[in-house]
Amino acid sequence: MTQASSTAPVGIIGGTGLTTLSGLTIAGESSVSTPWGEPSAPLVEGRLGEQSVIFLSRHGNPHRIPPHQVNYRANILALYEAGVRTVVGVNAVGGIHPDMGPAHVVVPDQIIDYTWGRGSTFFEGDLDSVTHIDFTFPYDAGARQALIDAARRESVPFSDFGVYGATQGPRLETAAEIRRMERDGCDLVGMTGMPEAALAAELGMRYVCLGLVVNWAAGKSDHIITMEEIEEAIEQGMSGVKTILASSMAQLGQLSPMPRPS
């Protein structure tokens, strides 16, 4: 892992349960626009510990934008244009793997994309040439290690692996769909992991997911999924997510920027 001193802000994209970030010393916020439209919410600038950060609420604040209607291109480009080169995407997910139950924290290492119809690339329209990015490892190794080190240092129970299956939403999945995803190798299911990770890769940004399991996936428990269950898991597990974020900031901030694909 190559590291260098950096003053670039770390981007944090908050999902369900993380529309605001406690412990963030706010310096200001800005409403911005991009060639792809407006991001979900204003960019909140501040510091988390000694590290400058820019926080963006993925679903808006208040929480109002469903997963399939998030303007992922505007969100990622807005952070990039604000100087962010490392992004932590915080995601609420369903647990498929037997060790990944409600309130458990996961730092996944792979993605399978089941979404459709979303604006999923910057490389379209009037192009000089077709561009294909390498996406073998969708989550940056250095950023993953920073989260893993922080979780171990702070004694937060977590898993350092997992395949994130990204579904379309906003409905939850059927039990048969989850069985198919399990056969495909998925350990987690969520609705916002893609195209966010791929768009960050297209801009050469380091991207990592910090997942909080908020329910057992469909068919993995003896009852239907309720919002009460999800809210209880968020209340139990979000403190661990915030602890990892705060403890990892210094290491994330030292990661050197990567070249932008062309």
Side-chain angles (χ1 to χ4, degrees), residues 43-165:
L43 303 183
V44 178
E45 304 167 15
R47 302 190 75 81
L48 194 56
E50 298 301 315
Q51 174 61 41
S52 61
V53 300
I54 296 180
F55 178 79
L56 173 61
S57 179
R58 184 186 289 113
H59 298 282
N61 189 13
H63 186 105
R64 60 182 177 80
I65 306 172
H68 67 298
Q69 291 186 322
V70 171
N71 191 338
Y72 295 95
R73 287 186 289 201
N75 285 354
I76 292 296
L77 187 57
L79 290 172
Y80 184 87
E81 291 181 338
V84 170
R85 297 296 180 267
T86 298
V87 179
V88 181
V90 179
N91 298 87
V93 295
I96 299 175
H97 190 285
D99 294 337
M100 299 178 184
H104 190 65
V105 176
V106 184
V107 183
D109 58 343
Q110 278 294 335
I111 296 173
I112 299 178
D113 188 8
Y114 300 94
T115 66
W116 52 270
R118 302 181 179 190
S120 59
T121 181
F122 294 113
F123 297 123
E124 65 181 26
D126 186 16
L127 301 176
D128 293 332
S129 62
V130 176
T131 301
H132 303 284
I133 62 162
D134 178 82
F135 202 50
T136 305
F137 302 104
Y139 301 121
D140 179 73
R144 287 191 72 250
Q145 193 61 54
L147 297 186
I148 290 167
D149 289 347
R152 289 173 176 162
R153 186 166 53 247
E154 303 297 337
S155 299
V156 176
F158 80 109
S159 294
D160 63 357
F161 70 95
V163 177
Y164 180 123

Side-chain angles (χ1 to χ4, degrees), residues 7 24 29 35 52 70 80 83 88 103 106 108 113 168 171 175 182 189 191 193 210 241:
T7 58
L24 176 66
E29 66 176 51
S52 61
V70 171
Y80 184 87
V88 181
V106 184
D113 188 8
Q168 180 69 359
R171 68 167 178 84
E182 189 169 24
V189 57
M191 302 174 188
L210 181 57
V241 169

